[in-house]
Amino acid sequence: DQVEVTPGVTVTRKTYPVPLNEAPFFNFARRTAELNKSDEDFILEISRHEPDRAKAAQYAIARGWQALKSERDPATAAKRFNQAFLLDPQQSGVYHGLAAVVESRFRDFDFSDELFRIATRMNSPAPTLSADHGRMLLIAGRPAEAKPLLERGVRDNPDWAVPQSNLALALLQTGDAAEACRVAAMVKGRDLDSVRSDLALLRRRANCP
């Protein structure tokens, strides 16, 4: 079942057993007069403080990422990404953020993949988009699909160790142990400490020299 969530953007109707505002697109709930009034009141209140709805949406997206990454709170993150959707549904960060929530909370990799792909064609995609998409596909056990996204993620973020490490893993899982070892030996940049144990395990599995 496909639903047009905003002009030009159609997604699969996926619902989850959580409160409406903790699931993507408010769990596709039937729009009632009460819900419409609540949305309108929210937009009006935000507009009093920030009349530029794109900027207001980007602020909500930033708060969503803080909730998801720093506070490990995907429920609050989904609320913020849904708020951003109400403010400006053309923002890439809405779909990027919801894709991350779907992956981390609901483990629905197919829907996450769909949302990541939509995010690539929306406004103002984050430089981390390809790296995050590739990481999700690795977790989903789809390294061949992850590899080109992680290669792009490395190009987009040359000072970030995480996509470099994930690319090495994708190479190993697709049968290129020699290249995996070469890439693993060159991993550097921010968050290097967070991937050291992964790299050590990869080197053992790949029999790196």
Side-chain angles (χ1 to χ4, degrees), residues 3 16-17 36 51 87 98 112 120 126-127 132 144 155 157 171 177 206:
V3 180
Y16 304 97
N36 287 334
L87 291 163
L98 290 174
S112 179
T120 63
D132 288 346
R155 291 195 299 271
N157 306 271
L171 288 162

Side-chain angles (χ1 to χ4, degrees), residues 104-121:
S104 63
R105 187 178 188 188
F106 305 119
R107 312 306 282 177
D108 187 343
F109 300 118
D110 287 341
F111 192 39
S112 179
D113 183 34
E114 180 179 339
L115 294 174
F116 269 120
R117 293 180 188 282
I118 291 170
T120 63
R121 56 186 175 85

Side-chain angles (χ1 to χ4, degrees), residues 13-75:
R13 185 193 300 271
K14 290 287 190 83
T15 59
Y16 304 97
V18 296
L20 298 184
N21 61 352
E22 294 179 16
F25 314 107
F26 301 93
N27 236 2
F28 299 96
R30 183 177 64 86
R31 303 308 299 172
T32 65
E34 183 180 1
L35 285 176
N36 287 334
K37 177 67 163 55
S38 175
D39 291 349
E40 291 165 4
D41 288 347
F42 166 75
I43 292 170
L44 182 61
E45 178 62 26
I46 295 297
S47 297
R48 290 194 181 107
H49 301 282
E50 175 53 80
D52 185 327
R53 285 173 59 168
K55 286 184 179 178
Q58 289 163 5
Y59 177 69
I61 289 164
R63 292 181 65 198
W65 282 115
Q66 179 180 352
L68 188 62
K69 292 193 169 184
S70 301
E71 300 163 15
R72 308 294 182 190
D73 184 356

Side-chain angles (χ1 to χ4, degrees), residues 32 96 114 123 145 162 179 204:
T32 65
H96 184 174
E114 180 179 339
N123 294 339
E145 294 174 67
V162 173
E179 182 65 5
R204 289 196 296 273

Side-chain angles (χ1 to χ4, degrees), residues 93-176:
V94 169
Y95 306 89
H96 184 174
L98 290 174
V101 168
V102 167
E103 176 238 311
S104 63
R105 187 178 188 188
F106 305 119
R107 312 306 282 177
D108 187 343
F109 300 118
D110 287 341
F111 192 39
S112 179
D113 183 34
E114 180 179 339
L115 294 174
F116 269 120
R117 293 180 188 282
I118 291 170
T120 63
R121 56 186 175 85
M122 307 308 287
N123 294 339
S124 306
T128 57
L129 179 59
S130 293
D132 288 346
H133 190 181
R135 173 186 169 277
M136 183 279 293
L137 290 170
L138 266 186
I139 293 170
R142 296 156 63 177
E145 294 174 67
K147 180 174 170 287
L149 288 163
L150 292 167
E151 289 171 340
R152 189 178 312 143
V154 170
R155 291 195 299 271
D156 291 344
N157 306 271
D159 62 340
W160 187 19
V162 173
Q164 299 168 36
S165 175
N166 286 335
L167 175 58
L169 181 58
L171 288 162
L172 178 62
Q173 292 181 354
T174 52
D176 194 345

